[in-house]
Amino acid sequence: MALFEVKDLQKKYYAAGEGVDTQVLFDLNFSIDRGEFVSIMGPSGSGKSTLLHIIGFLDGHTGGEYYFNGKKYEDYGENEIANVRNKEMGFVFQQFNLLPKQTVYENISLPLVYSDIPEKEWDNRIKEVIETVGLTHRLDYQAYKLSGGEKQRVAIARALVNNPDVIFADEPTGNLDSKSGEAVMKTLERLHSEFGHTVILITHEIATAERANRMIYIKDGKIESDKKVRKSKNQESIKIK
């Protein structure tokens, strides 16, 4: 059974009064299995972030069907959706969304406040995920003192702290230099290959998209291609089947 499945999925924004309605997504069909590393790639304005918001339960669709873990979107109640987002999904955004005056430790702890995980377990969880992203030495730093790449890795650690199955990464390297971006991508690859997380990566950069094992290309709200990424053993050349 697919973890994510969409059938003829549509998204339209309705304008008030005599405004013009705007259709963003048109009849999308695909499924994603648990444990896949998939990039959703396309130019700015193609609808890829809108799609992430729908499958991440951050927004609703206006046509077609969406199933998460075999259950139809409309069959989820509000509390159930909140629980899915908190327990089964972790989100990493381009702008990091860290609290600048709070420490790395405090930023990572935020999702735990809204979870049912006993407080006595928080410290171990926080230290485990910060070690996973290689920033144990920054645990007591205030977020504003970190580099861009370090901030994004803290955001990844925060997304991991509830041990979700799915990591959504929306343009995670968009604000980073090439060295920092490479560190972030290696972290995402490790989460998939070593820890088995389902990773869904949103990007407009072809080189970043090709780091995944499968690439869905969206243009003007429609899927233009959905292909496996074939990588060489040394990862130096990547070809699309």
Side-chain angles (χ1 to χ4, degrees):
M1 182 178 63
L3 184 59
F4 299 95
E5 185 175 12
V6 300
K7 299 178 179 180
D8 297 322
L9 189 78
Q10 301 176 26
K11 178 65 176 180
K12 180 183 289 187
Y13 291 102
Y14 296 97
E18 297 181 0
V20 178
D21 296 340
T22 303
Q23 183 124 6
V24 181
L25 299 176
F26 299 82
D27 300 319
L28 305 188
N29 289 277
F30 66 88
S31 62
I32 296 174
D33 291 334
R34 193 180 304 275
E36 282 198 82
F37 185 2
V38 179
S39 63
I40 299 174
M41 189 261 179
S44 297
S46 59
K48 56 189 183 296
S49 290
T50 299
L51 175 58
L52 178 147
H53 289 168
I54 292 172
I55 64 176
F57 285 106
L58 298 172
D59 196 4
H61 55 288
T62 54
E65 299 174 347
Y66 167 44
Y67 297 84
F68 175 71
N69 214 10
K71 186 172 180 176
K72 197 173 184 179
Y73 174 86
E74 288 79 5
D75 293 334
Y76 281 90
E78 288 186 14
N79 290 337
E80 212 174 354
I81 286 175
N83 284 332
V84 167
R85 283 201 306 258
N86 185 256
K87 295 179 180 179
E88 301 187 51
M89 299 176 175
F91 296 88
V92 180
F93 297 103
Q94 183 176 353
Q95 301 298 333
F96 318 131
N97 294 341
L98 301 179
L99 298 176
K101 295 295 182 70
Q102 302 299 308
T103 65
V104 167
Y105 187 100
E106 290 166 336
N107 270 283
I108 295 172
S109 72
L110 290 175
L112 294 170
V113 175
Y114 304 99
S115 74
D116 54 8
I117 296 169
E119 194 168 349
K120 63 182 180 181
E121 296 182 17
W122 292 8
D123 187 66
N124 284 338
R125 280 181 175 255
I126 292 167
K127 289 177 179 177
E128 283 176 6
V129 295
I130 200 65
E131 183 177 353
T132 298
V133 301
L135 288 177
T136 300
H137 61 296
R138 294 285 193 256
L139 200 55
D140 296 322
Y141 276 51
Q142 290 173 296
Y144 78 91
K145 296 180 180 179
L146 303 176
S147 69
E150 288 173 336
K151 289 177 181 176
Q152 193 60 290
R153 283 191 282 163
V154 171
I156 292 172
R158 182 183 57 192
L160 286 173
V161 75
N162 282 342
N163 194 30
D165 183 39
V166 184
I167 302 295
F168 291 105
D170 191 0
E171 299 282 6
T173 62
N175 285 335
L176 305 178
D177 58 53
S178 58
K179 183 178 179 181
S180 298
E182 176 65 16
V184 167
M185 288 308 303
K186 283 184 176 179
T187 301
L188 292 174
E189 288 173 331
R190 184 167 175 247
L191 294 177
H192 168 253
S193 62
E194 293 185 27
F195 297 95
H197 290 279
T198 306
V199 179
I200 298 178
L201 170 70
I202 305 295
T203 183
H204 66 278
E205 301 171 340
I206 183 65
T208 301
E210 289 174 339
R211 300 288 287 268
N213 299 120
R214 173 184 169 196
M215 186 171 72
I216 298 173
Y217 184 78
I218 294 182
K219 184 178 179 181
D220 297 328
K222 301 175 182 178
I223 294 177
E224 296 234 324
S225 64
D226 182 351
K227 300 181 180 180
K228 296 289 186 181
V229 179
R230 183 167 53 207
K231 304 179 183 181
S232 64
K233 289 183 180 179
N234 61 12
Q235 300 292 300
E236 289 179 358
S237 62
I238 302 174
K239 296 182 180 180
I240 305 297
K241 286 183 180 178

